[in-house]
Short mmCIF file of all heavy atoms in Angstrom, two decimals:
data_model
loop_
_atom_site.label_atom_id
_atom_site.label_comp_id
_atom_site.label_asym_id
_atom_site.label_seq_id
_atom_site.Cartn_x
_atom_site.Cartn_y
_atom_site.Cartn_z
N TRP A 326 -5.50 -66.51 65.50
CA TRP A 326 -6.65 -67.18 64.87
C TRP A 326 -7.76 -66.21 64.48
O TRP A 326 -8.53 -66.45 63.58
CB TRP A 326 -7.20 -68.25 65.82
CG TRP A 326 -7.76 -67.69 67.11
CD1 TRP A 326 -7.12 -67.60 68.29
CD2 TRP A 326 -9.07 -67.15 67.33
NE1 TRP A 326 -7.91 -67.02 69.25
CE2 TRP A 326 -9.12 -66.73 68.67
CE3 TRP A 326 -10.20 -66.95 66.51
CZ2 TRP A 326 -10.25 -66.14 69.24
CZ3 TRP A 326 -11.32 -66.37 67.09
CH2 TRP A 326 -11.33 -65.96 68.44
N TYR A 327 -7.82 -65.07 65.20
CA TYR A 327 -8.92 -64.15 64.91
C TYR A 327 -8.64 -63.28 63.69
O TYR A 327 -9.47 -62.50 63.26
CB TYR A 327 -9.24 -63.29 66.13
CG TYR A 327 -8.06 -62.51 66.70
CD1 TYR A 327 -7.73 -61.27 66.18
CD2 TYR A 327 -7.30 -63.01 67.75
CE1 TYR A 327 -6.67 -60.55 66.68
CE2 TYR A 327 -6.25 -62.31 68.27
CZ TYR A 327 -5.92 -61.07 67.74
OH TYR A 327 -4.87 -60.36 68.24
N GLU A 334 -2.16 -63.72 50.51
CA GLU A 334 -1.15 -63.12 51.39
C GLU A 334 -0.13 -64.14 51.84
O GLU A 334 1.05 -63.85 51.96
CB GLU A 334 -1.83 -62.50 52.61
CG GLU A 334 -2.47 -61.17 52.34
CD GLU A 334 -3.31 -60.68 53.51
OE1 GLU A 334 -4.06 -61.49 54.07
OE2 GLU A 334 -3.17 -59.52 53.86
N TRP A 379 1.12 -1.83 47.02
CA TRP A 379 0.10 -0.98 47.62
C TRP A 379 0.67 0.12 48.50
O TRP A 379 -0.02 1.06 48.85
CB TRP A 379 -0.81 -1.85 48.50
CG TRP A 379 -1.78 -2.68 47.75
CD1 TRP A 379 -2.24 -2.45 46.49
CD2 TRP A 379 -2.41 -3.88 48.19
NE1 TRP A 379 -3.11 -3.43 46.13
CE2 TRP A 379 -3.24 -4.32 47.16
CE3 TRP A 379 -2.36 -4.61 49.38
CZ2 TRP A 379 -4.02 -5.47 47.26
CZ3 TRP A 379 -3.14 -5.75 49.48
CH2 TRP A 379 -3.95 -6.17 48.44
N LYS A 381 1.74 3.18 50.01
CA LYS A 381 1.64 4.53 49.47
C LYS A 381 2.91 5.33 49.74
O LYS A 381 3.13 6.36 49.12
CB LYS A 381 0.41 5.26 50.00
CG LYS A 381 0.48 5.69 51.44
CD LYS A 381 -0.71 6.58 51.72
CE LYS A 381 -0.99 6.87 53.17
NZ LYS A 381 0.08 6.87 54.12
N GLN A 389 3.96 9.78 39.24
CA GLN A 389 2.63 9.18 39.38
C GLN A 389 2.68 7.67 39.39
O GLN A 389 1.85 7.01 38.79
CB GLN A 389 1.71 9.66 38.24
CG GLN A 389 1.34 11.10 38.32
CD GLN A 389 0.51 11.38 39.55
OE1 GLN A 389 -0.31 10.57 39.95
NE2 GLN A 389 0.73 12.51 40.17
N ARG A 885 8.17 -13.49 58.34
CA ARG A 885 6.92 -14.20 58.06
C ARG A 885 7.18 -15.53 57.39
O ARG A 885 6.67 -16.56 57.82
CB ARG A 885 6.05 -13.33 57.14
CG ARG A 885 5.48 -12.13 57.82
CD ARG A 885 4.91 -11.17 56.80
NE ARG A 885 4.43 -9.95 57.44
CZ ARG A 885 3.99 -8.91 56.75
NH1 ARG A 885 3.97 -8.95 55.45
NH2 ARG A 885 3.57 -7.84 57.39
N TYR A 907 1.72 -44.94 67.38
CA TYR A 907 0.60 -45.87 67.46
C TYR A 907 0.98 -47.22 66.86
O TYR A 907 0.43 -48.25 67.27
CB TYR A 907 -0.61 -45.28 66.74
CG TYR A 907 -1.89 -46.02 67.01
CD1 TYR A 907 -2.33 -46.25 68.31
CD2 TYR A 907 -2.68 -46.48 65.97
CE1 TYR A 907 -3.50 -46.93 68.57
CE2 TYR A 907 -3.87 -47.16 66.21
CZ TYR A 907 -4.27 -47.38 67.51
OH TYR A 907 -5.43 -48.05 67.78
N GLN A 915 0.21 -50.82 60.37
CA GLN A 915 -0.08 -49.61 59.57
C GLN A 915 -1.49 -49.09 59.81
O GLN A 915 -2.08 -48.47 58.93
CB GLN A 915 0.12 -49.86 58.08
CG GLN A 915 1.50 -50.32 57.72
CD GLN A 915 1.49 -51.65 57.04
OE1 GLN A 915 0.47 -52.09 56.52
NE2 GLN A 915 2.62 -52.31 57.04
N GLN A 944 3.37 -8.45 62.13
CA GLN A 944 4.40 -7.42 62.32
C GLN A 944 4.88 -7.56 63.74
O GLN A 944 4.37 -6.91 64.64
CB GLN A 944 3.82 -6.02 62.10
CG GLN A 944 3.40 -5.75 60.68
CD GLN A 944 2.76 -4.40 60.52
OE1 GLN A 944 3.20 -3.42 61.09
NE2 GLN A 944 1.69 -4.34 59.76
N GLU A 949 7.40 1.28 62.08
CA GLU A 949 8.09 2.50 62.49
C GLU A 949 9.36 2.15 63.25
O GLU A 949 10.43 2.72 63.01
CB GLU A 949 7.19 3.36 63.38
CG GLU A 949 6.06 4.07 62.67
CD GLU A 949 4.93 3.13 62.30
OE1 GLU A 949 4.72 2.15 63.06
OE2 GLU A 949 4.28 3.34 61.26
N LEU A 993 -4.67 -42.20 79.47
CA LEU A 993 -6.10 -42.08 79.71
C LEU A 993 -6.82 -43.36 79.31
O LEU A 993 -7.74 -43.82 79.97
CB LEU A 993 -6.66 -40.90 78.90
CG LEU A 993 -8.12 -40.60 79.13
CD1 LEU A 993 -8.30 -39.90 80.48
CD2 LEU A 993 -8.70 -39.75 78.03
N ASN A 996 -7.85 -47.15 80.92
CA ASN A 996 -9.21 -47.58 81.19
C ASN A 996 -10.13 -46.90 80.20
O ASN A 996 -10.43 -45.72 80.34
CB ASN A 996 -9.61 -47.22 82.62
CG ASN A 996 -11.02 -47.68 82.93
OD1 ASN A 996 -11.72 -48.20 82.07
ND2 ASN A 996 -11.44 -47.47 84.16
N ALA A 998 -13.13 -46.95 79.68
CA ALA A 998 -14.50 -46.59 80.09
C ALA A 998 -14.49 -45.14 80.53
O ALA A 998 -14.19 -44.84 81.68
CB ALA A 998 -14.96 -47.50 81.21
N GLY A 1003 -20.54 -45.84 81.67
CA GLY A 1003 -19.74 -47.05 81.70
C GLY A 1003 -19.33 -47.59 80.35
O GLY A 1003 -18.60 -48.57 80.26
N GLN A 1004 -19.81 -46.98 79.28
CA GLN A 1004 -19.46 -47.48 77.95
C GLN A 1004 -18.01 -47.16 77.62
O GLN A 1004 -17.43 -46.23 78.18
CB GLN A 1004 -20.39 -46.87 76.90
CG GLN A 1004 -21.82 -47.38 77.04
CD GLN A 1004 -22.78 -46.65 76.14
OE1 GLN A 1004 -22.38 -45.77 75.40
NE2 GLN A 1004 -24.04 -47.00 76.22
N GLY A 1007 -13.49 -46.57 71.59
CA GLY A 1007 -12.68 -47.41 70.70
C GLY A 1007 -11.52 -46.65 70.09
O GLY A 1007 -11.15 -45.56 70.52
N ASN A 1008 -10.96 -47.24 69.05
CA ASN A 1008 -9.74 -46.65 68.50
C ASN A 1008 -9.98 -45.32 67.80
O ASN A 1008 -9.14 -44.46 67.81
CB ASN A 1008 -9.07 -47.64 67.54
CG ASN A 1008 -9.88 -47.86 66.30
OD1 ASN A 1008 -11.11 -47.94 66.37
ND2 ASN A 1008 -9.23 -47.95 65.15
N TRP A 1034 -2.28 -8.83 66.31
CA TRP A 1034 -3.60 -9.43 66.13
C TRP A 1034 -4.54 -8.45 65.45
O TRP A 1034 -5.12 -7.61 66.11
CB TRP A 1034 -4.18 -9.82 67.48
CG TRP A 1034 -3.59 -11.04 68.09
CD1 TRP A 1034 -2.44 -11.11 68.80
CD2 TRP A 1034 -4.14 -12.36 68.06
NE1 TRP A 1034 -2.23 -12.39 69.22
CE2 TRP A 1034 -3.25 -13.19 68.79
CE3 TRP A 1034 -5.29 -12.92 67.51
CZ2 TRP A 1034 -3.49 -14.54 68.97
CZ3 TRP A 1034 -5.50 -14.27 67.69
CH2 TRP A 1034 -4.61 -15.07 68.40
N LYS A 1065 -17.45 -46.34 52.85
CA LYS A 1065 -17.59 -47.76 53.06
C LYS A 1065 -17.72 -48.09 54.53
O LYS A 1065 -18.32 -49.07 54.91
CB LYS A 1065 -16.36 -48.48 52.48
CG LYS A 1065 -16.59 -48.95 51.07
CD LYS A 1065 -15.70 -50.09 50.64
CE LYS A 1065 -14.29 -50.04 51.14
NZ LYS A 1065 -13.41 -50.96 50.41
N GLN A 1067 -18.43 -46.29 58.32
CA GLN A 1067 -18.83 -45.07 59.04
C GLN A 1067 -18.03 -45.02 60.34
O GLN A 1067 -18.55 -45.13 61.42
CB GLN A 1067 -20.33 -45.09 59.31
CG GLN A 1067 -21.16 -45.40 58.10
CD GLN A 1067 -21.12 -44.29 57.08
OE1 GLN A 1067 -20.86 -43.15 57.42
NE2 GLN A 1067 -21.36 -44.62 55.83
N ASN A 1075 -19.70 -38.13 70.98
CA ASN A 1075 -19.54 -38.98 72.15
C ASN A 1075 -18.33 -38.57 72.98
O ASN A 1075 -18.37 -38.58 74.20
CB ASN A 1075 -19.37 -40.43 71.71
CG ASN A 1075 -20.58 -41.25 72.07
OD1 ASN A 1075 -21.25 -40.95 73.04
ND2 ASN A 1075 -20.87 -42.25 71.26
N SER A 1081 -13.92 -36.74 81.07
CA SER A 1081 -12.51 -37.10 81.08
C SER A 1081 -11.83 -36.66 79.79
O SER A 1081 -10.70 -36.15 79.82
CB SER A 1081 -12.36 -38.61 81.23
OG SER A 1081 -12.80 -39.00 82.49
N LEU A 1084 -11.18 -33.05 79.98
CA LEU A 1084 -10.10 -32.71 80.89
C LEU A 1084 -8.74 -33.07 80.30
O LEU A 1084 -7.77 -32.32 80.45
CB LEU A 1084 -10.30 -33.44 82.23
CG LEU A 1084 -11.46 -32.89 83.07
CD1 LEU A 1084 -11.70 -33.76 84.28
CD2 LEU A 1084 -11.19 -31.45 83.49
N ARG A 1107 17.06 -8.44 79.89
CA ARG A 1107 16.71 -7.59 81.03
C ARG A 1107 17.20 -6.16 80.90
O ARG A 1107 16.84 -5.33 81.68
CB ARG A 1107 17.24 -8.20 82.31
CG ARG A 1107 16.43 -9.37 82.76
CD ARG A 1107 17.19 -10.63 82.51
NE ARG A 1107 16.32 -11.79 82.57
CZ ARG A 1107 16.68 -12.98 82.17
NH1 ARG A 1107 17.89 -13.16 81.67
NH2 ARG A 1107 15.86 -13.98 82.24
N GLU B 16 -4.73 10.27 38.29
CA GLU B 16 -3.79 10.24 39.41
C GLU B 16 -4.32 9.35 40.52
O GLU B 16 -3.63 8.51 41.05
CB GLU B 16 -3.62 11.66 39.91
CG GLU B 16 -2.30 11.93 40.54
CD GLU B 16 -2.17 13.41 40.83
OE1 GLU B 16 -2.41 14.20 39.90
OE2 GLU B 16 -1.89 13.75 41.96
N PRO B 21 -1.84 4.23 45.12
CA PRO B 21 -2.32 3.08 45.89
C PRO B 21 -3.42 3.48 46.86
O PRO B 21 -3.41 4.61 47.37
CB PRO B 21 -1.07 2.62 46.65
CG PRO B 21 0.08 3.27 45.99
CD PRO B 21 -0.43 4.50 45.33
N ASN B 23 -5.35 4.12 50.01
CA ASN B 23 -4.86 4.44 51.34
C ASN B 23 -5.79 3.84 52.37
O ASN B 23 -6.47 4.53 53.12
CB ASN B 23 -4.75 5.96 51.49
CG ASN B 23 -4.08 6.32 52.78
OD1 ASN B 23 -3.50 5.47 53.45
ND2 ASN B 23 -4.16 7.58 53.14
N GLN B 28 -2.07 -0.60 53.61
CA GLN B 28 -0.89 0.01 54.20
C GLN B 28 -0.38 -0.78 55.39
O GLN B 28 0.50 -0.31 56.11
CB GLN B 28 -1.19 1.45 54.61
CG GLN B 28 -1.64 2.32 53.46
CD GLN B 28 -0.68 2.26 52.29
OE1 GLN B 28 0.52 2.32 52.46
NE2 GLN B 28 -1.21 2.09 51.08
N GLN B 29 -0.94 -1.94 55.62
CA GLN B 29 -0.55 -2.80 56.74
C GLN B 29 -0.67 -2.05 58.05
O GLN B 29 0.19 -2.12 58.91
CB GLN B 29 0.87 -3.32 56.57
CG GLN B 29 1.07 -4.04 55.25
CD GLN B 29 2.36 -4.84 55.23
OE1 GLN B 29 2.57 -5.69 56.05
NE2 GLN B 29 3.21 -4.56 54.26
N ARG B 30 -1.73 -1.28 58.15
CA ARG B 30 -1.93 -0.55 59.38
C ARG B 30 -3.27 -0.89 60.01
O ARG B 30 -3.91 -0.04 60.63
CB ARG B 30 -1.89 0.96 59.10
CG ARG B 30 -0.51 1.45 58.83
CD ARG B 30 -0.50 2.95 58.66
NE ARG B 30 0.73 3.34 57.98
CZ ARG B 30 1.92 3.33 58.56
NH1 ARG B 30 2.03 2.99 59.82
NH2 ARG B 30 2.99 3.66 57.89
N TRP B 34 -4.20 -5.71 68.01
CA TRP B 34 -3.97 -5.94 69.42
C TRP B 34 -2.60 -6.58 69.54
O TRP B 34 -2.31 -7.55 68.85
CB TRP B 34 -5.06 -6.85 69.94
CG TRP B 34 -4.87 -7.33 71.34
CD1 TRP B 34 -4.67 -6.55 72.44
CD2 TRP B 34 -4.89 -8.69 71.77
NE1 TRP B 34 -4.55 -7.35 73.55
CE2 TRP B 34 -4.69 -8.67 73.17
CE3 TRP B 34 -5.06 -9.92 71.15
CZ2 TRP B 34 -4.64 -9.82 73.93
CZ3 TRP B 34 -5.02 -11.07 71.90
CH2 TRP B 34 -4.82 -11.01 73.28
N TYR B 114 -17.36 -55.80 83.23
CA TYR B 114 -16.56 -55.77 82.01
C TYR B 114 -15.84 -57.09 81.82
O TYR B 114 -15.55 -57.79 82.79
CB TYR B 114 -15.49 -54.68 82.09
CG TYR B 114 -16.03 -53.27 82.21
CD1 TYR B 114 -16.26 -52.71 83.45
CD2 TYR B 114 -16.26 -52.51 81.08
CE1 TYR B 114 -16.74 -51.42 83.57
CE2 TYR B 114 -16.73 -51.21 81.18
CZ TYR B 114 -16.97 -50.67 82.43
OH TYR B 114 -17.43 -49.41 82.52
N TYR B 121 -5.08 -57.88 69.53
CA TYR B 121 -4.97 -56.70 68.66
C TYR B 121 -6.23 -56.50 67.85
O TYR B 121 -6.32 -56.92 66.71
CB TYR B 121 -3.73 -56.83 67.77
CG TYR B 121 -2.45 -56.64 68.55
CD1 TYR B 121 -1.87 -57.68 69.23
CD2 TYR B 121 -1.85 -55.38 68.61
CE1 TYR B 121 -0.71 -57.49 69.96
CE2 TYR B 121 -0.70 -55.18 69.34
CZ TYR B 121 -0.13 -56.24 70.01
OH TYR B 121 1.01 -56.04 70.74
N ARG B 125 -4.72 -53.44 61.35
CA ARG B 125 -5.37 -52.72 60.24
C ARG B 125 -6.27 -53.64 59.44
O ARG B 125 -7.44 -53.33 59.17
CB ARG B 125 -4.33 -52.12 59.32
CG ARG B 125 -4.91 -51.45 58.10
CD ARG B 125 -3.89 -50.60 57.42
NE ARG B 125 -2.81 -51.38 56.84
CZ ARG B 125 -2.84 -51.86 55.61
NH1 ARG B 125 -3.89 -51.66 54.85
NH2 ARG B 125 -1.82 -52.53 55.14
N LYS B 126 -5.76 -54.79 59.05
CA LYS B 126 -6.54 -55.69 58.20
C LYS B 126 -7.77 -56.20 58.93
O LYS B 126 -8.84 -56.38 58.34
CB LYS B 126 -5.65 -56.86 57.76
CG LYS B 126 -4.50 -56.41 56.87
CD LYS B 126 -4.64 -56.97 55.47
CE LYS B 126 -3.73 -56.27 54.50
NZ LYS B 126 -2.39 -56.84 54.42
N GLU B 147 -18.12 -57.62 51.06
CA GLU B 147 -16.97 -56.77 50.80
C GLU B 147 -15.69 -57.59 50.69
O GLU B 147 -15.47 -58.54 51.45
CB GLU B 147 -16.86 -55.80 51.99
CG GLU B 147 -15.68 -54.91 52.02
CD GLU B 147 -15.74 -53.85 50.94
OE1 GLU B 147 -16.85 -53.31 50.70
OE2 GLU B 147 -14.70 -53.59 50.35
N SER B 198 -24.01 -50.78 74.64
CA SER B 198 -23.36 -50.28 73.43
C SER B 198 -23.77 -48.82 73.21
O SER B 198 -24.68 -48.31 73.84
CB SER B 198 -23.77 -51.11 72.23
OG SER B 198 -25.12 -50.85 71.92
N TRP B 199 -23.03 -48.16 72.33
CA TRP B 199 -23.34 -46.76 72.03
C TRP B 199 -24.76 -46.64 71.50
O TRP B 199 -25.20 -47.45 70.68
CB TRP B 199 -22.39 -46.20 70.97
CG TRP B 199 -21.01 -45.92 71.47
CD1 TRP B 199 -20.41 -46.47 72.56
CD2 TRP B 199 -20.08 -45.02 70.88
NE1 TRP B 199 -19.17 -45.98 72.70
CE2 TRP B 199 -18.92 -45.08 71.68
CE3 TRP B 199 -20.11 -44.18 69.78
CZ2 TRP B 199 -17.80 -44.32 71.40
CZ3 TRP B 199 -19.00 -43.43 69.50
CH2 TRP B 199 -17.85 -43.49 70.30
N LYS B 206 -26.67 -46.64 63.39
CA LYS B 206 -25.60 -47.13 62.52
C LYS B 206 -25.85 -48.57 62.06
O LYS B 206 -25.70 -48.86 60.88
CB LYS B 206 -24.28 -47.03 63.27
CG LYS B 206 -23.06 -47.15 62.38
CD LYS B 206 -21.80 -46.82 63.16
CE LYS B 206 -20.58 -47.35 62.45
NZ LYS B 206 -19.35 -47.11 63.23
N ARG B 258 -14.12 -51.33 67.77
CA ARG B 258 -12.77 -51.86 68.02
C ARG B 258 -12.08 -51.12 69.14
O ARG B 258 -12.19 -49.90 69.25
CB ARG B 258 -11.93 -51.74 66.75
CG ARG B 258 -12.45 -52.55 65.60
CD ARG B 258 -11.93 -51.98 64.31
NE ARG B 258 -10.47 -52.04 64.28
CZ ARG B 258 -9.72 -51.22 63.57
NH1 ARG B 258 -10.29 -50.28 62.83
NH2 ARG B 258 -8.42 -51.31 63.58
N ALA B 260 -8.90 -49.51 71.16
CA ALA B 260 -7.80 -48.71 70.66
C ALA B 260 -6.46 -49.38 70.90
O ALA B 260 -5.53 -49.21 70.13
CB ALA B 260 -7.80 -47.33 71.34
N PRO B 294 -10.57 -68.92 73.01
CA PRO B 294 -9.17 -69.28 73.21
C PRO B 294 -8.27 -68.06 73.05
O PRO B 294 -8.38 -67.31 72.07
CB PRO B 294 -8.91 -70.29 72.09
CG PRO B 294 -9.90 -69.95 71.02
CD PRO B 294 -11.04 -69.24 71.65
N MET B 312 -16.63 -39.10 85.87
CA MET B 312 -15.48 -39.10 84.98
C MET B 312 -15.29 -40.46 84.30
O MET B 312 -14.31 -40.65 83.60
CB MET B 312 -14.21 -38.72 85.73
CG MET B 312 -13.89 -39.65 86.88
SD MET B 312 -12.27 -39.34 87.61
CE MET B 312 -11.22 -40.11 86.44
N GLY B 314 -14.79 -44.61 84.35
CA GLY B 314 -14.22 -45.63 85.22
C GLY B 314 -13.04 -45.11 86.01
O GLY B 314 -12.65 -43.95 85.90
N LYS B 315 -12.48 -45.99 86.82
CA LYS B 315 -11.36 -45.58 87.67
C LYS B 315 -10.16 -45.28 86.79
O LYS B 315 -9.77 -46.07 85.94
CB LYS B 315 -11.03 -46.71 88.64
CG LYS B 315 -10.01 -46.34 89.70
CD LYS B 315 -9.77 -47.54 90.60
CE LYS B 315 -8.72 -47.27 91.66
NZ LYS B 315 -9.23 -46.40 92.73
N ASN B 316 -9.59 -44.11 86.99
CA ASN B 316 -8.40 -43.72 86.23
C ASN B 316 -7.64 -42.69 87.04
O ASN B 316 -8.00 -41.53 87.09
CB ASN B 316 -8.81 -43.15 84.87
CG ASN B 316 -7.61 -43.05 83.94
OD1 ASN B 316 -6.48 -43.07 84.41
ND2 ASN B 316 -7.87 -42.97 82.65
N TYR B 323 -3.27 -33.74 86.62
CA TYR B 323 -3.72 -32.39 86.96
C TYR B 323 -2.98 -31.86 88.18
O TYR B 323 -2.59 -30.70 88.22
CB TYR B 323 -5.23 -32.38 87.20
CG TYR B 323 -5.98 -31.95 85.95
CD1 TYR B 323 -6.33 -32.87 84.97
CD2 TYR B 323 -6.31 -30.62 85.75
CE1 TYR B 323 -6.99 -32.49 83.83
CE2 TYR B 323 -6.97 -30.22 84.61
CZ TYR B 323 -7.31 -31.16 83.64
OH TYR B 323 -7.95 -30.75 82.51
N ASP B 348 17.86 -4.10 87.16
CA ASP B 348 17.52 -3.06 86.19
C ASP B 348 17.58 -1.69 86.83
O ASP B 348 18.12 -0.74 86.29
CB ASP B 348 16.11 -3.28 85.65
CG ASP B 348 16.14 -4.29 84.52
OD1 ASP B 348 17.23 -4.81 84.26
OD2 ASP B 348 15.08 -4.55 83.95
#
Side-chain angles (χ1 to χ4, degrees):
Chain A
W326 64 263
Y327 55 86
E334 282 171 316
W379 284 337
K381 72 171 167 28
Q389 290 295 324
R885 289 167 184 174
Y907 192 54
Q915 302 121 19
Q944 293 176 41
E949 287 75 31
L993 184 75
N996 181 356
Q1004 291 172 1
N1008 68 321
W1034 284 82
K1065 266 203 322 195
Q1067 310 292 336
N1075 251 330
S1081 293
L1084 288 173
R1107 284 107 196 169
Chain B
E16 208 172 309
N23 188 12
Q28 301 308 315
Q29 305 194 57
R30 286 184 199 287
W34 172 54
Y114 297 90
Y121 288 84
R125 176 166 67 90
K126 295 246 165 87
E147 174 70 40
S198 70
W199 286 23
K206 195 171 162 184
R258 297 158 61 206
M312 59 172 282
K315 188 180 178 74
N316 193 341
Y323 264 86
D348 277 3

